[in-house]
Amino acid sequence: MSVSITQHNQVAVICMDDGNKNVINHDVLDALESAFDQATSDEAGAIIFKGREGSFCAGYDLAVMKGADPQAASRLGRRGGLLARRILSSPIPVVGLSQGHSFTIGAVWLACCDLSIGERGAYKYGMTEVTLNVPLTGWALEPVKARLARSERIPALLHSKLYPPEQAQAAGFIDELVASGEGLTAALARAEPLAGLPRDAYLATKLALRQSILDSMNRDLG
């Protein structure tokens, strides 16, 4: 997995790309945490968090999550949750960009962004934990539940329904939908004005808006 960070004026673009489906393991999380450290400590006023073309994120490494060591699965899951909480409470705006499929922890990360953009295409979004025989509870549930339309919470979270991009936007997985190949341009157009907002006021308002979600995540994640 390659995680890169590039600068576009005041916007830091963090991109994860494993050349395939963007499966999340500890090495990926090490690199993502480092990239977010760099973005928030530099002069960036906003972040774009994106995957590769064809897949924002396929979810956790199933060899770990469904392996013989439940503690290893718990450790990997918790680290994804810590990054989700970090995105949700980021001191600078975070724009999520999905140019492909987005499942499980990928969908959670998009839900934690301040704005999420998707591209049209033959892609799917979904929370497939129940299908994988993994209970969807606690920290992973709260940010997605807050984003989804009330009518879609049962189909998406309990029944593991998969959504093509147009339905994903209507359901609440993403905020905006653009033509294939136009995602980064659209994300930069949204992120650049956000980068100029006063940081202290932005963060204080964000935390106030999201306090109940963060409280729930804090109870689970410590």
Side-chain angles (χ1 to χ4, degrees):
M1 167 72 80
S2 169
V3 174
S4 63
I5 180 167
T6 56
Q7 196 77 21
H8 295 256
N9 297 320
Q10 287 186 283
V11 180
V13 179
I14 296 173
C15 178
M16 52 182 176
D17 185 353
D18 68 357
N20 192 8
K21 296 181 178 181
N22 279 355
V23 172
I24 303 304
N25 56 33
H26 286 290
D27 290 340
V28 177
L29 287 163
D30 286 342
L32 286 174
E33 289 165 3
S34 178
F36 273 88
D37 285 343
Q38 180 180 336
T40 52
S41 64
D42 289 346
E43 296 301 315
I47 294 169
I48 293 172
F49 180 29
K50 67 184 290 291
R52 68 187 307 272
E53 293 183 8
S55 183
F56 174 71
C57 176
Y60 291 116
D61 184 347
L62 290 180
V64 177
M65 300 307 287
K66 301 189 74 174
D69 185 351
Q71 291 186 343
S74 179
R75 286 192 296 270
L76 181 58
R78 182 176 180 273
R79 285 194 70 188
L82 292 173
L83 182 60
R85 184 175 65 183
R86 180 173 187 169
I87 295 168
L88 192 72
S89 58
S90 169
I92 59 177
V94 181
V95 175
L97 171 58
S98 176
Q99 297 167 290
H101 300 292
S102 183
F103 300 118
T104 64
I105 189 59
V108 175
W109 287 341
L110 287 176
C112 290
C113 292
D114 301 311
L115 174 71
S116 56
I117 297 171
E119 289 190 1
R120 290 186 171 86
Y123 309 128
K124 300 290 185 183
Y125 293 73
M127 299 294 291
T128 58
E129 281 83 351
V130 172
T131 296
L132 297 170
N133 197 29
V134 177
L136 180 54
T137 60
W139 67 261
L141 184 65
E142 295 303 317
V144 184
K145 183 174 72 173
R147 281 282 192 169
L148 289 177
R150 184 175 295 274
S151 62
E152 296 300 329
R153 291 175 185 172
I154 294 297
L157 302 174
L158 186 58
H159 300 160
S160 295
K161 178 179 176 180
L162 298 180
Y163 296 78
E166 292 78 8
Q167 292 181 20
Q169 182 188 21
F173 280 101
I174 51 175
D175 299 304
E176 298 183 20
L177 189 62
V178 300
S180 177
E182 295 183 4
L184 183 57
T185 299
L188 286 167
R190 301 295 184 272
E192 285 172 353
L194 295 180
L197 293 174
R199 183 178 291 202
D200 290 345
Y202 190 88
L203 178 59
T205 305
K206 176 191 289 191
L207 295 179
L209 283 168
R210 297 175 174 173
Q211 193 60 59
S212 63
I213 302 172
L214 288 167
D215 286 346
S216 178
M217 295 180 81
N218 289 338
R219 284 193 295 270
D220 286 338
L221 295 168

